[in-house]
Amino acid sequence: MPKKQQSTTTPEAVVPEVDAPRVATSEATTPETASAGATGAAVTAPEAPSAAPEPTVPSDEVLAQIAEGTHTGPHSVLGQHPAGLPDADAVVIRALRPLAREVVAVLDSGARVELAHIGHGVWQGVSVAGFQDYVLETTYEDDITWTADDPYRYLPTVGDIDLHLFGEGRHERLWEMLGSHHRTMSGVARETWGTAFAVWAPHARAVRVIGDFNNWNGVLHAMRRMDVHGIWELFVPDLAPYSAYKFEILTAAGEWIEKADPMARHTETPPATASVVTESSYRWGDSGWMSARAAQNPNDQPISVYEMHLGSWRQGLGYRDAADQLIDYLHETGYTHVEFLPLAEHPYEPSWGYQVTGYYAPTSRFGHPDDLKYLIDRLHQARIGVYMDWVPGHFPKDAWALANFDGQPLYEHSDPRLGEHQDWGTLIFNFGDSQVRNFLVANALYWLDEFHVDGLRVDAVASMLYLDYSRKDGEWLPNRYGGRENLEAISFLQETTATAYKLHPGVMMMAEESTSWGGVTHPTSNGGLGFGLKWNMGWMNDSLRYIANDPLWRNYHQNELTFSFLYSFSENFILPISHDEVVHGKGSLIGKMPGDPWQQLANVRAYLAFQWAHPGKQLLFMGQEFGQRSEWSQERSLDWWILDQPAHRGLLSFVAQLNRVYRENPSFWQQDSSSAGFSWIDGSDAANSVLAFLRWDRDGNPVAALFNFSGRPVGDYRIGLPFAGTWEELLNSDAAEFGGSGVGNYGSVVAENEPSHGHPASVVLTLPPLGALYLRPKRRK
């Protein structure tokens, strides 16, 4: 890194407080002048003359705008420009230095150009040495001298191609254009390290950068407006990473407001709300994982997901601290993937991350963004995939964040019938605005690209799809065809999934969609939303309702267990028992089960075996894998102490075995999206609360999944099978090692050529109480 130049930290005595100004209109505020900048080539300069010719002085109105920070193109006035004098090398240098006694531009050649005060704190001088790099030496009363580079001598940090792409709403790497970036900028003959700031604020009359580097006073750091779309830009030389900052915006109503950067990639730790300049030095080590991921279709791979809230899994762990412990635990339990509840920055901890204010910033509660990269990298190297919840459906109303960002609705729709969730107290993105869509689509790509996330679970998709979602008559507006579908949101979701799969093959886009919307996982080319998986909320509701019944009465509810098989292949499904099912008075999974503690644990084992064998992928929220009895709370760690009880340790061992059997048998997952991967043995034996079916891989290898949800063993029970011969027991949920009663078939059964249940062979066996069996034809060695 080049040697740093002099510090730009502004002495408090240097910058006065500035009241909200009134802005006059002048030719200097046109877009053409706003985007103008100094140009020139390196020149070997002689000593500056003592008496320089006088160039034109800007009007008093323009000088007042510069002083008040309301000029939309301060670079067109400040900095260095051709002087317009007979001497072609004559350059005028102007600087804003309120309360200064003397201002001198010190050229790289060593020459000193004295500047004279021309009004409103603006100083001006002329050099006949041509364009050069320089710093400003400012002396105040009491002989305080401050030397700093001049932000207004640099060309724009945002290029024409960037502006065009954003104007079209198609900038797929928007985080590299907007926000804050520590980088080098070329001057006339040398490069300077500093920080480039850029923000979208089309309704703003002016924008300034404030931060700990200028005592939160933006008088000397007014930004220039680049184009009609409202991009504002400023390069602050010598400003190093980890400075805190915000944008100070003059609204159309004449009010100065302070806003965090919507594109910030790092933030202060809540409850502090400022954005933080950052840079990444992380070097990834997961190239093998990423290459293999790109070559696979995740839909025909094993996916069993451990959903977790990082802050309450084991409280006190940061991103780096969690790596070893989480990897060891996921290896012990056998999950293929972990899914984090939202990790984007959010001010309110009890929102669990679903009220996002910093869409591009990993929450600082657990460390630096590079620390999150470390965690994900380590998980990948341990052959564990990483999903993350993503929340484009709504955002909170915090005054310092996205709401009314530039003084009026910008990210949200201006009509509350389209732009506000009354139930949640949050705002809805304006999905029909090209730049808002660009902000969101690029955000999805940001997590996939910069953090190597393997997939995004999109929260609350149903709330986005329907204009009348949770609204009464008269509280919503129909679409242009008179319907209730949110056409702009549909188009946005299609654009997001299609772009994600195009740029990152092998990732998984998942939808939490709770209605019967058709085509959630169908290709966008066929009018679908393009997701890879849809949360099967119907299966969840039906199966939980069934399992909550006393076994004596389950025979009356068999259809609740079998109905999901009628639509299992209408979409690509994942079966979730998520955080939503163990909060808000719903209790824990084991708490939903009837009976005494032994029966509750047996029910959990049988239920999870049913979930893992059912067509679709699986997701289970943390703590349920060992039978936590208390309801989950983000305010405390999981009840790890309960694992000291053998019965709960047995449940954890069962889940580990369940995941191992699942991973090692492609019959469970290779054809999840095809009816060829499933066939019935018998779903109609309600009298015994028995259910039996087959899962198939592409090579025609079956696994039989048998379930007895009654509270008694069912002996001498004939089950049809596709092949005669020995079938080995892959899993028995009632095994003593898992805390069961040990009822079973001694590890294997022999099927004979006697047809039953529409199959050419059958076997007579014993089904354990509240139990599940997995059987597989014995493989020849």
Side-chain angles (χ1 to χ4, degrees):
M1 181 182 296
K3 184 177 180 181
K4 297 290 185 185
Q5 303 301 311
Q6 304 236 15
S7 171
T8 60
T9 302
T10 307
E12 289 192 25
V14 173
V15 185
E17 293 293 329
V18 178
D19 295 329
R22 308 180 75 180
V23 181
T25 302
S26 74
E27 293 182 357
T29 61
T30 63
E32 288 77 17
T33 58
S35 61
T39 58
V43 178
T44 302
E47 286 292 323
S50 57
E54 293 295 329
T56 302
V57 174
S59 69
D60 187 74
E61 181 181 53
V62 169
L63 294 177
Q65 291 177 359
I66 292 294
E68 294 165 346
T70 61
H71 197 295
T72 60
H75 294 70
S76 66
V77 179
L78 303 176
Q80 57 182 339
H81 306 273
L85 298 174
D87 188 335
D89 290 331
V91 174
V92 62
I93 299 175
R94 298 191 192 98
L96 176 63
R97 287 294 186 268
L99 305 182
R101 189 181 72 195
E102 298 176 357
V103 181
V104 176
V106 182
L107 308 185
D108 271 12
S109 65
R112 298 172 61 84
V113 179
E114 295 186 1
L115 278 57
H117 184 253
I118 57 175
H120 297 277
V122 179
W123 297 69
Q124 174 175 298
V126 173
S127 166
V128 294
F131 287 98
Q132 287 195 40
D133 297 309
Y134 65 90
V135 295
L136 295 170
E137 182 183 283
T138 307
T139 304
Y140 298 89
E141 297 302 328
D142 300 326
D143 294 325
I144 296 174
T145 300
W146 172 49
T147 301
D149 204 340
D150 183 4
Y152 297 99
R153 72 180 183 88
Y154 291 92
L155 293 171
T157 59
V158 179
D160 291 341
I161 294 177
D162 287 322
L163 293 172
H164 172 76
L165 290 173
F166 183 65
E168 295 289 319
R170 300 292 180 185
H171 202 305
E172 294 175 345
R173 301 186 68 82
L174 188 62
W175 64 93
E176 294 180 348
M177 169 189 173
L178 299 179
S180 62
H181 297 275
H182 190 229
R183 63 173 60 159
T184 58
M185 282 292 290
S186 297
V188 176
R190 61 175 166 84
E191 292 185 333
T192 301
W193 278 95
T195 298
F197 296 93
V199 64
W200 178 52
H203 305 122
R205 291 165 60 183
V207 182
R208 305 190 293 210
V209 184
I210 58 175
D212 53 14
F213 58 91
N214 62 14
N215 299 308
W216 299 95
N217 189 315
V219 167
L220 301 184
H221 292 101
M223 305 178 79
R224 61 176 147 199
R225 180 164 179 154
M226 295 294 299
D227 66 352
V228 295
H229 297 292
I231 298 297
W232 300 76
E233 174 274 344
L234 181 70
F235 176 71
V236 180
D238 305 321
L239 180 59
Y242 308 112
S243 294
Y245 71 96
K246 285 187 177 180
F247 293 115
E248 191 177 35
I249 297 173
L250 181 62
T251 70
E255 177 188 6
W256 285 102
I257 59 176
E258 296 180 5
K259 291 287 187 173
D261 183 358
M263 301 291 297
R265 292 170 295 127
H266 192 31
T267 69
E268 291 183 312
T269 302
T273 59
S275 305
V276 175
V277 179
T278 192
E279 63 178 352
S280 176
S281 60
Y282 192 77
R283 298 294 178 263
W284 290 88
D286 64 347
S287 58
W289 172 274
M290 297 294 283
S291 297
R293 188 188 77 181
Q296 294 175 343
N297 175 5
N299 286 92
D300 59 16
Q301 298 298 311
I303 296 178
S304 62
V305 182
Y306 186 67
E307 187 191 35
M308 66 179 291
H309 177 261
L310 184 58
S312 60
W313 184 64
R314 289 174 178 162
Q315 280 193 325
L317 297 180
Y319 294 125
R320 286 183 178 266
D321 303 326
D324 287 337
Q325 295 185 44
L326 182 56
I327 288 169
D328 289 345
Y329 189 69
L330 293 176
H331 279 170
E332 177 186 356
T333 50
Y335 287 92
T336 66
H337 292 72
V338 60
E339 180 177 319
F340 294 111
L341 269 61
L343 291 176
E345 194 58 89
H346 52 283
Y348 184 53
E349 277 199 77
S351 77
W352 314 327
Y354 289 97
Q355 303 244 352
V356 179
T357 49
Y359 275 81
Y360 286 79
T363 179
S364 296
R365 291 172 176 86
F366 310 123
H368 185 273
D370 277 1
D371 297 333
L372 176 57
K373 292 179 180 180
Y374 172 85
L375 173 59
I376 295 172
D377 195 7
R378 288 287 312 283
L379 286 163
H380 282 174
Q381 293 180 50
R383 303 178 306 284
I384 298 167
V386 180
Y387 297 146
M388 191 182 78
D389 275 17
W390 185 53
V391 192
H394 62 120
F395 61 92
K397 297 180 179 179
D398 298 79
W400 50 269
L402 293 179
N404 290 309
F405 182 74
D406 55 5
Q408 53 192 286
L410 180 63
Y411 289 92
E412 69 271 36
H413 200 287
S414 58
D415 190 325
R417 292 172 294 180
L418 297 170
E420 187 171 352
H421 277 305
Q422 301 288 348
D423 288 352
W424 301 344
T426 55
L427 300 173
I428 303 172
F429 285 103
N430 184 359
F431 300 113
D433 184 279
S434 297
Q435 282 69 46
V436 173
R437 286 166 59 123
N438 196 163
F439 172 83
L440 290 171
V441 173
N443 184 240
L445 300 177
Y446 172 75
W447 291 105
L448 298 174
D449 186 287
E450 295 288 333
F451 289 88
H452 292 199
V453 171
D454 300 298
L456 298 173
R457 176 264 196 184
V458 183
D459 179 64
V461 170
S463 73
M464 303 166 67
L465 294 176
Y466 299 98
L467 295 166
D468 62 347
Y469 183 87
S470 194
R471 295 179 187 272
K472 301 175 183 177
D473 290 344
E475 295 180 348
W476 61 283
L477 293 177
N479 62 35
R480 59 182 177 270
Y481 303 113
R484 59 195 285 256
E485 299 80 11
N486 189 332
L487 303 179
E488 290 78 13
I490 294 167
S491 177
F492 155 70
L493 290 170
Q494 291 173 324
E495 180 182 350
T496 301
T497 56
T499 307
Y501 285 127
K502 177 188 73 173
L503 297 180
H504 300 282
V507 300
M508 177 63 76
M509 299 295 289
M510 295 165 282
E512 185 212 11
E513 204 288 305
S514 56
T515 74
S516 57
W517 183 280
V520 171
T521 61
H522 295 185
T524 56
S525 57
N526 294 337
L529 298 183
F531 285 95
L533 291 173
K534 172 180 173 174
W535 276 32
N536 193 336
M537 313 297 279
W539 170 87
M540 178 201 71
N541 290 321
D542 289 347
S543 63
L544 286 178
R545 187 164 53 248
Y546 173 87
I547 205 70
N549 289 303
D550 188 290
L552 287 173
W553 312 115
R554 284 175 179 167
N555 57 318
Y556 296 105
H557 299 273
Q558 186 86 348
N559 64 306
E560 293 174 354
L561 209 59
T562 59
F563 180 69
S564 59
F565 292 94
L566 296 177
Y567 60 85
S568 288
F569 306 104
S570 61
E571 302 274 8
N572 302 331
F573 285 115
I574 185 169
L575 313 179
I577 300 298
S578 73
H579 64 281
D580 283 328
E581 307 316 310
V582 295
V583 290
H584 302 319
K586 295 180 181 179
S588 62
L589 178 61
I590 194 171
K592 303 177 194 302
M593 304 299 168
D596 60 30
W598 185 93
Q599 291 169 326
Q600 287 181 314
L601 284 163
N603 269 301
V604 171
R605 294 194 301 270
Y607 181 76
L608 294 179
F610 174 68
Q611 179 184 5
W612 257 245
H614 192 289
K617 312 305 183 183
Q618 294 79 37
L619 177 143
L620 186 65
F621 185 62
M622 65 181 195
Q624 311 318 301
E625 75 279 7
F626 57 77
Q628 174 165 313
R629 291 189 173 275
S630 61
E631 185 173 272
W632 170 64
S633 170
Q634 56 88 24
E635 296 180 353
R636 63 177 186 271
S637 295
L638 296 181
D639 296 340
W640 295 105
W641 56 267
I642 206 171
L643 285 171
D644 292 336
Q645 301 180 14
H648 289 270
R649 175 63 67 176
L651 176 57
L652 185 69
S653 297
F654 171 76
V655 171
Q657 179 72 348
L658 183 62
N659 272 320
R660 184 188 66 80
V661 169
Y662 169 77
R663 288 196 323 272
E664 293 176 358
N665 289 273
S667 302
F668 286 116
W669 42 263
Q670 200 172 64
Q671 298 196 94
D672 268 331
S673 303
S674 170
S675 59
F678 172 85
S679 61
W680 276 110
I681 296 175
D682 188 6
S684 63
D685 190 2
N688 286 304
S689 297
V690 167
L691 193 73
F693 54 81
L694 295 162
R695 298 299 309 278
W696 299 85
D697 67 16
R698 291 201 193 100
D699 296 326
N701 299 308
V703 169
L706 317 175
F707 304 92
N708 173 19
F709 288 107
S710 73
R712 57 179 176 78
V714 179
D716 295 327
Y717 193 81
R718 185 172 291 277
I719 286 288
L721 292 172
F723 311 124
T726 300
W727 288 64
E728 59 185 338
E729 192 176 86
L730 291 176
L731 186 77
N732 181 346
S733 70
D734 194 48
E737 63 181 299
F738 305 137
S741 61
V743 173
N745 300 276
Y746 303 103
S748 66
V749 296
V750 179
E752 54 190 356
N753 289 313
E754 181 173 335
S756 182
H757 298 97
H759 293 276
S762 62
V763 65
V764 176
L765 45 65
T766 298
L767 298 176
L770 301 174
L773 298 177
Y774 292 169
L775 303 175
R776 179 182 68 184
K778 187 173 183 180
R779 296 174 178 175
R780 295 179 180 178
K781 295 183 179 180

